[in-house]
Amino acid sequence: MAEQSTQSIEVDASPEQVMAVIADFPAYPEWAKAVRETEVLAQDESSRAKQVRLTLDAGPIKDVYTLEYEWAADGLSVSWHLVKGQMQKAQNGRYQLAPISGGGTKVTYTLSVELALPMIGLLRRKAEKMVMDTALKELKRRVESQD
């Protein structure tokens, strides 16, 4: 079982604005540097993405994989898990949003990835930290640029 990593960032926008960017998978290649392509394969009864295929190109790490999403009824979190991948054996993740008194949203990103090829623990943790740090900063930039 892969260890999980968690990071948070504060975004100057409402939870609804943040979740709207997270849920807009077709726009990911516009702002998430490593995501080259996305395709929504299935939607849930609320027309939110249920399964999404992503093409990732993060330098030495290239992968095409499918994630399945579960959206919280309160609109404050979304979780996902790997359905199919080439480089990954498992991936579980979650965005948890919390309104900040006085405005803004705290976004907490939790991720665990198990690669098909073994990777030294320290190197894997460093890679996860870089992926999460970049993802949160890019999300913040995208949300805050939409005002």
Side-chain angles (χ1 to χ4, degrees):
M1 187 77 179
E3 294 177 40
Q4 67 179 28
S5 299
T6 300
Q7 287 190 38
S8 297
I9 197 167
E10 290 186 6
V11 178
D12 187 18
S14 70
E16 294 79 16
Q17 291 169 301
V18 175
M19 192 57 79
V21 170
I22 292 170
D24 186 8
F25 292 101
Y28 274 42
E30 296 172 17
W31 62 271
K33 290 178 190 155
V35 179
R36 296 290 174 241
E37 190 178 323
T38 61
E39 182 183 358
V40 176
L41 303 175
Q43 295 181 317
D44 66 14
E45 59 281 349
S46 299
S47 298
R48 293 174 298 207
K50 180 77 174 161
Q51 281 197 358
V52 180
R53 181 173 32 236
L54 298 105
T55 302
L56 183 76
D57 184 351
I61 300 172
K62 294 173 180 24
D63 199 4
V64 177
Y65 56 99
T66 302
L67 299 176
E68 185 164 299
Y69 291 83
E70 188 174 320
W71 304 87
D74 65 7
L76 293 176
S77 70
V78 59
S79 302
W80 63 88
H81 67 271
L82 183 73
V83 174
K84 180 181 175 185
Q86 297 169 350
M87 295 286 295
Q88 301 174 70
K89 283 201 306 194
Q91 181 184 140
N92 292 287
R94 177 182 180 90
Y95 279 113
Q96 179 70 51
L97 311 182
I100 300 170
S101 61
T105 303
K106 180 180 180 184
V107 180
T108 301
Y109 182 20
T110 303
L111 181 67
S112 81
V113 175
E114 189 176 345
L115 298 175
L117 300 172
M119 185 183 278
I120 298 169
L122 182 64
L123 185 60
R124 182 186 54 75
R125 283 189 295 281
K126 186 174 180 178
E128 271 182 9
K129 181 184 179 339
M130 187 184 75
V131 166
M132 294 177 72
D133 190 52
T134 302
L136 285 171
K137 286 178 180 170
E138 289 176 344
L139 175 65
K140 176 182 173 71
R141 194 172 16 251
R142 176 68 173 199
V143 172
E144 291 179 352
S145 73
Q146 296 195 337
D147 288 340

